[in-house]
Amino acid sequence: MVSINNVRLDHVTSFGDAIFAFSITFIAISIEIPQLPPNLSEAEVTNRLFQLIPQFEIYLTSFAVIGIFWIKYHLIFNKIKDSHAVMLWLNLLYLFFVTLISFGTALRFENNYVSTFALYALILTITSLLLSLIWIHALRYTLLKDDNMTQRQKKLYILQGIFPAIIFAGSIGVAFINIQFASYLWILIIPFQIIFKKRTKLS
């Protein structure tokens, strides 16, 4: 029986790329295509297309979130030199929740309830935390390529998952007041990602 420790790291990240691609594709095909009979007027066609705007907003948000998760995923694994059994299982669990993002998005397409938003935000919270756990595990077992990384840089990489998790978890409470505003809170992750890249280079 082949040990899971023998799985090459490039195979791990290639599998991850496939999962991310699947998740984005599933989200895209979940958008409901409107029925456009040939007897409709241009005004009616335009109206039905405008009805798709809420779905496209959810799609755009989910695409951006998955894209950021993908970037962070590679930022972390580019620093890791070798695979490890526990880390590989954490990686599989992380990718499992990445696939659930597409499920959460499809659920949001169907309705706009606080409960479905909360479930979606919870999936994103757990996904973010798992990314930090992968990094913490790599630190614990000295699996990093660069031994010259400062303690500050290592801590910043941990925050890659923790800070977004705080935003996603916090948005659940905000959703009970205003669900639309709760979704917009997720935009805060983008400036954080920019600041993170600058800080890691300066540290």
Side-chain angles (χ1 to χ4, degrees):
M1 185 174 179
V2 179
S3 171
I4 194 170
N5 286 313
N6 294 333
V7 178
R8 288 172 50 183
L9 203 60
D10 58 337
H11 291 170
V12 174
T13 53
S14 294
F15 178 68
D17 287 340
I19 293 296
F20 278 103
F22 162 79
S23 297
I24 287 178
T25 303
F26 186 84
I27 290 172
I29 64 176
S30 296
I31 297 175
E32 184 180 351
I33 306 299
Q35 297 294 323
L36 300 175
N39 60 334
L40 291 178
S41 66
E42 286 295 331
E44 289 173 321
V45 170
T46 302
N47 182 55
R48 294 198 182 190
L49 291 177
F50 272 113
Q51 289 175 0
L52 290 176
I53 289 178
Q55 289 194 56
F56 274 104
E57 287 180 349
I58 296 171
Y59 170 73
L60 181 61
T61 302
S62 299
F63 185 94
V65 167
I66 291 178
I68 290 171
F69 276 138
W70 177 77
I71 291 170
K72 292 180 178 182
Y73 181 74
H74 277 279
L75 282 174
I76 282 180
F77 274 92
N78 285 345
K79 298 288 184 182
I80 297 174
K81 63 183 177 182
D82 200 6
S83 62
H84 184 274
V86 176
M87 188 186 70
L88 290 175
W89 285 114
L90 284 173
N91 178 64
L92 285 174
L93 189 59
Y94 170 77
L95 294 175
F96 167 73
F97 275 93
V98 168
T99 62
L100 286 184
I101 294 174
S102 55
F103 162 73
T105 305
L107 199 61
R108 290 274 288 134
F109 280 155
E110 297 298 324
N111 55 69
N112 201 35
Y113 296 116
V114 173
S115 57
T116 57
F117 177 89
L119 176 61
Y120 187 27
L122 181 62
I123 291 170
L124 297 177
T125 301
I126 296 172
T127 308
S128 294
L129 291 175
L130 283 169
L131 197 60
S132 285
L133 280 177
I134 291 172
W135 178 253
I136 291 169
H137 185 79
L139 289 177
R140 182 180 178 185
Y141 287 90
T142 60
L143 299 174
L144 302 188
K145 293 178 183 177
D146 187 3
D147 295 329
N148 297 319
M149 284 188 73
T150 65
Q151 287 300 317
R152 180 180 173 81
Q153 287 175 321
K154 292 174 182 178
K155 288 178 181 178
L156 283 170
Y157 269 83
I158 295 175
L159 289 175
Q160 270 207 102
I162 293 178
F163 183 80
I166 293 172
I167 293 177
F168 292 134
S171 69
I172 296 175
V174 176
F176 285 93
I177 302 171
N178 189 314
I179 194 169
Q180 195 69 27
F181 182 71
S183 298
Y184 293 146
L185 278 179
W186 298 355
I187 298 173
L188 293 174
I189 297 172
I190 297 175
F192 167 77
Q193 184 67 19
I194 296 171
I195 294 170
F196 164 79
K197 289 188 71 175
K198 290 182 178 179
R199 288 290 178 87
T200 51
K201 289 179 181 178
L202 293 174
S203 300

